C-alpha cells in the first residue's frame, strides 16, 4: 500500500518545482510523521536522519516533503546533487540508459560509457601526466581501492591519514577516519598499518603551512619511516572534520615529501570535487597534483558512482582481476555521470559555484562582524562553513551549533553541521539554487543564530 494520498498532488522533481520556501505544516507534518514511525519500526536504528521529513521531490534549490512543505536545500544531500536534483539532462540520460540496458557487469562485458567516464576523469583531474581510472560505487569503496592500488604499486603497507579526517564507514575507511562518535565507536577492531598525522588547522594551531607540514613530516619520517609508507591520504579541504582549509604551503610540502620518498599522495576529493569549490577539484586551489584522486558524491547527479583516477604506472600496477566489483561503473550511473560532467563543463557551473561562494562568504562574514560566537568563516565556492565558539576562550560551541541548525530546519531550511567538535555549520547548496532562495536561507540561519 502506498502511503501517499492519491488525492495529494505530488509535484515532479527537478528545476520546474516552485522555487520557494513554503511551510504548510509544522515539521514533521502528519504524513512525514507517519513515515517516520514506519522508518523507526523498519529501519535499523543506526541509520539516523537530520531533517525530520520524508522527501517526495527535489530540484533547483528545494526539497519538497510528503505534506507539501518546500524546504530550502543548503546541503545537496551532502554535496551530491551539485548539478541539482533531477537535472533534466541527467534524468533523461538515466531513463534512456535504463531502457537500453541496466547491467552487464563491466568485468564481464565492457561498455562505452564506463570508458567515457574514465576518459573524462583522466582529462579533468589535476596534472597532464598519463592517467588511468577505475570505477566503484561509493566514496568509501574508492578510498579502499586507492589504498589497495598504492600498496600494490609500492610494495609497502603503512598508510597515513590526518587528524579530523573522514574517509568513510567501511572497516578500512573507519580506521582512516578520525572521529570516534558516531563513526567508529564500538565498530572495531580496525585494519592495521594505519597511522595518524597532525593536520594544518590554522584557526586552532596558529601554525604556518610550512611549520604544520614539518610537524606532520617529522611523524611520518621518524615514527613510521618513509620506507614503510605506501600512501598518504588527505582531503584537500576536510569535509566532515569541519571544512578545515590547511594553511598555504602545507599541502605542497606534503606532496613534495611524498614524491621525494616514493610515497603515493592520495587526494580524497569525494566531498570537495566536481565544481564544489569553484574549480573542478580543490587540489587546484592549492597548486598540487596528486598521484591518485578519489571522487564520488557530486560525480553523477545523485546516482551512486565513485572513482580512483591517477598516474598510469600506479593504477596499472595491480594485476588483471585485482580491481573491480559487481556493480562498479554501472551503466546507468555512468550515463548520469556523463550528463553531469557535460553540465559542469557547459552550463557555467564553476562560475556559479564561485558566485554562490561570494554570497555565502559576504553574508556569513557580516553575521560574524556582529556576533563573535562565529569564530571563523572558511571555505571556497559552494563549500563554506562557520565555526561556532565561545568568544572568550575559542572553545567549540557544539550546543549553539546544534541549536542553530535545528531552528533553521524547523523553519524550512536544510543546513548540515560537521566538525570533530560538532561546532561547524556547513553550507553545500546545489549549484542550481537561485540567489533569492540562498539569501532567504541565510536570513533564516541569521535569525536562528540571533535567537539562540
Ligand atoms: C562522504 C565521504 C567519503 C565516503 O563516501 P561514501 O560514498 O559515503 O562511502 C569519503 N571521503 C570523503 C572526503 C567524504 O566526504
Amino acid at each position: 500500500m502506498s502511503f501517499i494520498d492519491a488525492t495529494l498532488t505530488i509535484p515532479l522533481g527537478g528545476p520546474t518545482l516552485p522555487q520557494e520556501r513554503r511551510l504548510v505544516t509544522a515539521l514533521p507534518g502528519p504524513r512525514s510523521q507517519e513515515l517516520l514511525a514506519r522508518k523507526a519500526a523498519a529501519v535499523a536504528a543506526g541509520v539516523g536522519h537530520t531533517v525530520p521529513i520524508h522527501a517526495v521531490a527535489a530540484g533547483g534549490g528545494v526539497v519538497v516533503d510528503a505534506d507539501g512543505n518546500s524546504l530550502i536545500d543548503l546541503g545537496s544531500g551532502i554535496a551530491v546533487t551539485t548539478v541539482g536534483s533531477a537535472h533534466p539532462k541527467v534524468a533523461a540520460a538515466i531513463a534512456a540508459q535504463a531502457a537500453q540496458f541496466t547491467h552487464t557487469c563491466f568485468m564481464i562485458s565492457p561498455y562505452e560509457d564506463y570508458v567515457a567516464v574514465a576518459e573524462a576523469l583522466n582529462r579533468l583531474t589535476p596534472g597532464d601526466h598519463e592517467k588511468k581510472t577505475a570505477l566503484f560505487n561509493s566514496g568509501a569503496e574508492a578510498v579502499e581501492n586507492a589504498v589497495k592500488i598504492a600498496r600494490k604499486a609500492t610494495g609497502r603497507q603503512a598508510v597515513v591519514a590526518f587528524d579530523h579526517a573522514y574517509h568513510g564507514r567501511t572497516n578500512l575507511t573507519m580506521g582512516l577516519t578520525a572521529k570516534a562518535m558516531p563513526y567508529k565507536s564500538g565498530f572495531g577492531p580496525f585494519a592495521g598499518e594505519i597511522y595518524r598525522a597532525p593536520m594544518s588547522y590554522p584557526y586552532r594551531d596558529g601554525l604556518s603551512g610550512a611549520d604544520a607540514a614539518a610537524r606532520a613530516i617529522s611523524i611520518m619520517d621518524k615514527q613510521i619511516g618513509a620506507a614503510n609508507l605506501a600512501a598518504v591520504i588527505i582531503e584537500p579541504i576536510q569535509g566532515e572534520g569541519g571544512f578545515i582549509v590547511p594553511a598555504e604551503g602545507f599541502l605542497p610540502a606534503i606532496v613534495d615529501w611524498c614524491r621525494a620518498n616514493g610515497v603515493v599522495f592520495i587526494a580524497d576529493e569525494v566531498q570537495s570535487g566536481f565544481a564544489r569549490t569553484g574549480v573542478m577539484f580543490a587540489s587546484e586551489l592549492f597548486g598540487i597534483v596528486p598521484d591518485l584522486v578519489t571522487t564520488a558524491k557530486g560525480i553523477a547527479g545523485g546516482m551512486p558512482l565513485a572513482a580512483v583516477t591517477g598516474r598510469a604506472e600506479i593504477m596499472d600496477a595491480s594485476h588483471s582481476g585485482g580491481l573491480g566489483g559487481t556493480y562498479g561503473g554501472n551503466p546507468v550511473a555512468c550515463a548520469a555521470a556523463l550528463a553531469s560532467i557535460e553540465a559542469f563543463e557547459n552550463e557555467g557551473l564553476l562560475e556559479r559555484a564561485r558566485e554562490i561562494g561570494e554570497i555565502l562568504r559576504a553574508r556569513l562574514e557580516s553575521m560574524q562582524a556582529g556576533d563573535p560566537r562565529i569564530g571563523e568563516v572558511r571555505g571556497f565556492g559552494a563549500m563554506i562553513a562557520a565555526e561556532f565558539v565561545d568568544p572568550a576562550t575559542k572553545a567549540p560551541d557544539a550546543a549553539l551549533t546544534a541549536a542553530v541548525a535545528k531552528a533553521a530546519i524547523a523553519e524550512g531550511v536544510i543546513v548540515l553541521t560537521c566538525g570533530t567538535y560538532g561546532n561547524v555549520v556547513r553550507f553545500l547548496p546545489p549549484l542550481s539554487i537561485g540567489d533569492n532562495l540562498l539569501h532567504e536561507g541565510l536570513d533564516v540561519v541569521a535569525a536562528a543564530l540571533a535567537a539562540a
Side-chain angles (χ1 to χ4, degrees):
M1 183 195 75
S2 167
F3 127 89
I4 290 168
D5 180 344
T7 62
L8 185 75
T9 313
I10 302 299
L12 291 170
T16 54
L17 275 181
Q19 294 297 300
E20 61 183 8
R21 181 169 67 106
R22 182 183 68 237
L23 292 183
V24 297
T25 70
L27 300 183
R31 289 187 168 83
S32 282
Q33 279 178 35
E34 194 182 321
L35 269 167
L36 289 166
R38 276 174 56 197
K39 174 188 182 261
V43 178
V47 185
H49 63 264
T50 306
V51 184
I53 61 163
H54 263 66
V56 295
V62 299
V63 173
V64 175
D65 79 5
D67 296 284
N69 297 300
S70 177
L71 289 80
I72 298 175
D73 182 11
L74 301 183
S76 301
I78 321 183
V80 170
T81 53
T82 308
V83 298
S85 191
H87 182 292
K89 289 184 182 157
V90 175
I94 291 169
Q97 180 58 47
Q100 196 70 20
F101 66 94
T102 50
H103 178 81
T104 61
C105 187
F106 189 75
M107 302 180 303
I108 306 297
S109 312
Y111 38 86
E112 183 177 351
D113 279 4
Y114 184 121
V115 178
V117 171
E119 288 167 348
L121 287 167
N122 296 344
R123 173 170 60 81
L124 291 169
T125 48
D128 50 16
H129 48 282
E130 194 196 340
K131 293 175 216 152
K132 294 280 185 79
T133 287
L135 299 181
F136 304 97
N137 302 294
S138 69
E141 206 191 346
V143 169
E144 291 253 1
N145 277 278
V147 169
K148 245 171 94 167
I149 290 164
R151 284 175 168 160
K152 183 79 179 184
T154 58
R156 305 172 181 174
Q157 294 186 346
V159 180
V160 161
F162 284 79
D163 289 335
H164 313 292
Y166 182 85
H167 297 293
R169 296 171 179 273
T170 59
N171 186 266
L172 178 70
T173 60
M174 271 193 293
L176 295 168
T177 291
K179 192 175 176 178
M181 273 304 276
Y183 305 124
K184 303 171 74 166
S185 275
F187 295 132
F190 304 113
E193 286 304 311
I194 293 171
Y195 300 88
R196 198 162 304 283
M199 179 63 184
S200 166
Y201 190 166
Y203 177 65
R204 295 204 169 271
D205 65 22
L207 294 179
S208 70
D211 287 349
R215 180 176 65 172
I217 287 168
S218 165
I219 285 174
M220 298 196 284
D221 215 27
K222 304 301 173 211
Q223 297 185 24
I224 305 159
N228 303 310
L229 189 53
V232 166
I233 182 162
I234 190 164
E235 302 151 82
I237 297 174
Q238 289 181 317
E240 307 303 302
F243 282 23
I244 299 166
V245 180
E248 194 183 332
F250 175 77
L251 289 171
I254 302 284
V255 171
D256 286 349
W257 182 85
C258 286
R259 213 137 287 160
N261 288 282
V263 176
V264 176
F265 180 91
I266 305 169
D268 183 351
E269 293 247 22
V270 167
Q271 190 157 159
S272 58
F274 284 102
R276 237 325 117 191
T277 62
V279 291
M280 201 56 103
F281 294 99
S283 292
E284 299 165 39
L285 297 168
F286 304 96
I288 58 167
V289 175
D291 297 314
L292 301 180
V293 180
T294 54
T295 53
K297 292 198 167 96
I299 191 173
M303 295 297 284
L305 188 71
V308 181
T309 301
R311 293 184 189 280
E313 64 275 19
I314 297 173
M315 294 297 296
D316 282 341
S318 294
H319 47 271
S320 178
L323 304 176
T326 305
Y327 294 113
N330 168 273
V332 181
C334 285
L338 292 174
S340 299
I341 289 167
E342 198 177 305
F344 285 124
E345 295 202 287
N346 300 327
E347 294 179 9
L349 293 184
L350 295 171
E351 296 72 20
R352 183 62 190 146
R354 291 195 284 268
E355 285 169 12
I356 287 172
E358 280 165 27
I359 293 172
L360 283 170
R361 184 167 278 283
R363 291 293 308 268
L364 292 169
E365 284 178 350
S366 92
M367 283 182 222
Q368 183 189 27
D371 194 332
R373 294 176 299 172
I374 299 184
E376 189 175 50
V377 175
R378 58 177 176 254
F380 293 89
M383 184 174 186
I384 287 189
E387 174 161 352
F388 289 68
V389 299
D390 175 337
T393 62
K394 250 173 136 172
D397 195 340
L400 173 65
T401 308
V404 169
K406 192 172 173 213
I409 289 168
E411 288 299 317
V413 179
I414 299 175
V415 290
L416 308 177
T417 62
C418 65
T420 297
Y421 314 113
N423 68 323
V424 178
V425 173
R426 57 173 153 176
F427 297 91
L428 291 164
L431 304 182
S432 52
I433 195 170
D435 286 1
N436 290 348
L437 274 189
L438 182 58
H439 277 294
E440 187 179 339
L442 290 163
D443 291 342
V444 169
V445 172
L449 176 62

